[in-house]
Amino acid sequence: MPTVRRRMLGAELRKIRDGLRLTVDEVAARLGWHQSKVSRLENGRYGVRANEVGILLDVYQVTDPETREALATLAREGKRRVWWQPYSDVITQHYASFISFEAEAVSIRNFESSLVPGLLQTADYARALIRQLESEATSDEVNALVDVRLARQNATLRREDPLKLWAIVDEAALRRLIGSQAIMAKQLQQLAAVSKEPHVTLQVVPFSAGAHAGIHGSFAVLEFPVRGDLDVVYTEALTSSLYLERDNDVAAYDQAFDRLRAAALDVAPSRRLIAQIAKELE
């Protein structure tokens, strides 16, 4: 799966090529590259080197120093070491791909139908959940996966310019017992507390809302510094995950999230419901 920086670089290079009215085949012929290399580069699926970007920009007659340096920097940073590299032996490629997108996002709109959002989970909740879902994992592997979950939170919600998270959670996720009543009570207490953070918006879809726009399952819409064709929708199934990038797909999930916002309780009533359920568990 391409990193966000590779996708940004590819999108910029494609924009330049389109502006020159050159086809992929024409560019490949001028460079002596296979046309698939140019296509993969523009799709963010090829880790191009900075000097190759320079060669391509020569063909495009791009001479502006700032533009050339900015694109070369994207190429270099697309290959930089990432914080989750030490955990590569315990996380799947699907998970690593999602983390790479999440780390670059400026905002995420997340609907969860069954579980507390990963970025808002306590260590005890995450550990109990992982033990249930990854029944064959060793204790060390479970602990490593919990560490990844907490590191994700630090890398997004606690960074200098924190990610803006708008989370909508079905009431079922709050009432589903993960671990024990004590673990759930503390998890819900933390949810209520974190919902007061300025960069976090948390709403609950109550059972009384009936059927709603998220009835088909959880999803996340990730937005990046460069808006438009870089936004991604992420959905997850039992054995795979899916990234949707086409404008009409992203627009459909944008609309679904807007309908969920309307169906959900406002922030203050959501916080009161979370606190009430936590009190029931104590």
Side-chain angles (χ1 to χ4, degrees):
M1 193 70 192
T3 67
V4 173
R5 291 176 189 268
R6 286 184 187 177
R7 292 174 68 238
M8 290 173 65
L9 173 61
E12 290 300 317
L13 291 174
R14 182 172 62 250
K15 197 178 300 181
I16 294 171
R17 179 180 59 77
D18 287 343
L20 295 172
R21 299 183 181 276
L22 292 171
T23 67
V24 169
D25 287 341
E26 288 171 337
V27 172
R30 293 187 187 187
L31 291 167
W33 293 354
H34 194 281
Q35 66 88 18
S36 66
K37 179 175 178 177
V38 179
S39 295
R40 284 163 45 224
L41 192 161
E42 292 186 351
N43 291 330
R45 298 181 183 278
Y46 175 73
V48 66
R49 295 187 295 272
N51 68 314
E52 290 180 304
V53 171
I55 294 170
L56 191 53
L57 293 178
D58 288 342
V59 169
Y60 293 159
Q61 297 182 358
V62 175
T63 58
D64 177 61
E66 290 186 5
T67 300
R68 293 179 68 94
E69 179 55 29
L71 296 181
T73 298
L74 284 176
R76 286 191 292 268
E77 293 187 348
K79 294 187 174 185
R80 77 189 192 282
R81 183 180 174 84
V82 291
W83 66 259
W84 57 91
Q85 192 70 36
Y87 302 102
S88 58
D89 58 335
V90 293
I91 63 176
T92 65
Q93 183 58 49
H94 291 304
Y95 194 14
S97 295
F98 177 74
I99 292 173
S100 74
F101 277 96
E102 184 181 73
E104 299 287 350
V106 294
S107 70
I108 295 179
R109 285 169 290 147
N110 183 199
F111 168 70
E112 289 292 341
S113 62
S114 302
L115 299 169
V116 171
L119 289 179
L120 302 179
Q121 292 177 8
T122 64
D124 287 340
Y125 179 99
R127 183 171 288 105
L129 177 62
I130 292 167
R131 280 175 176 161
Q132 287 182 275
L133 297 182
E134 305 288 343
S135 57
E136 296 182 2
T138 66
S139 294
D140 287 345
E141 289 171 336
V142 170
N143 290 333
L145 289 170
V146 173
D147 288 344
V148 172
R149 191 71 49 94
L150 299 180
R152 281 177 54 204
Q153 296 173 9
N154 287 328
T156 54
L157 300 180
R158 299 183 185 94
R159 67 194 187 197
E160 185 176 346
D161 182 20
L163 173 85
K164 293 180 180 178
L165 174 65
W166 193 319
I168 300 179
V169 182
D170 195 289
E171 184 177 344
L174 306 180
R175 295 190 179 276
R176 177 167 287 102
L177 193 65
I178 302 296
S180 67
Q181 288 188 221
I183 287 173
M184 281 303 302
K186 289 181 179 178
Q187 171 64 81
L188 296 180
Q189 289 164 3
Q190 175 162 305
L191 271 185
V194 78
S195 70
K196 298 177 183 178
E197 296 289 336
H199 54 284
V200 176
T201 302
L202 179 62
Q203 292 180 268
V204 177
V205 181
F207 287 146
S208 59
H212 53 70
I215 207 75
H216 296 296
S218 305
F219 64 90
V221 182
L222 296 90
E223 300 174 353
F224 302 97
V226 180
R227 291 297 305 272
D229 62 356
L230 288 180
D231 289 356
V232 171
V233 174
Y234 174 80
T235 64
E236 193 172 48
L238 180 63
T239 58
S240 63
S241 54
L242 183 64
Y243 294 87
L244 304 173
E245 303 177 61
R246 293 188 304 180
D247 290 346
N248 59 338
D249 289 329
V250 175
Y253 279 89
D254 282 340
Q255 293 168 9
F257 195 85
D258 286 342
R259 293 198 298 273
L260 281 165
R261 281 193 313 182
L265 299 172
D266 288 337
V267 171
S270 292
R271 191 179 300 132
R272 287 195 292 271
L273 177 58
I274 292 169
Q276 173 193 321
I277 298 172
K279 190 172 182 180
E280 293 171 3
L281 291 167
E282 291 177 345

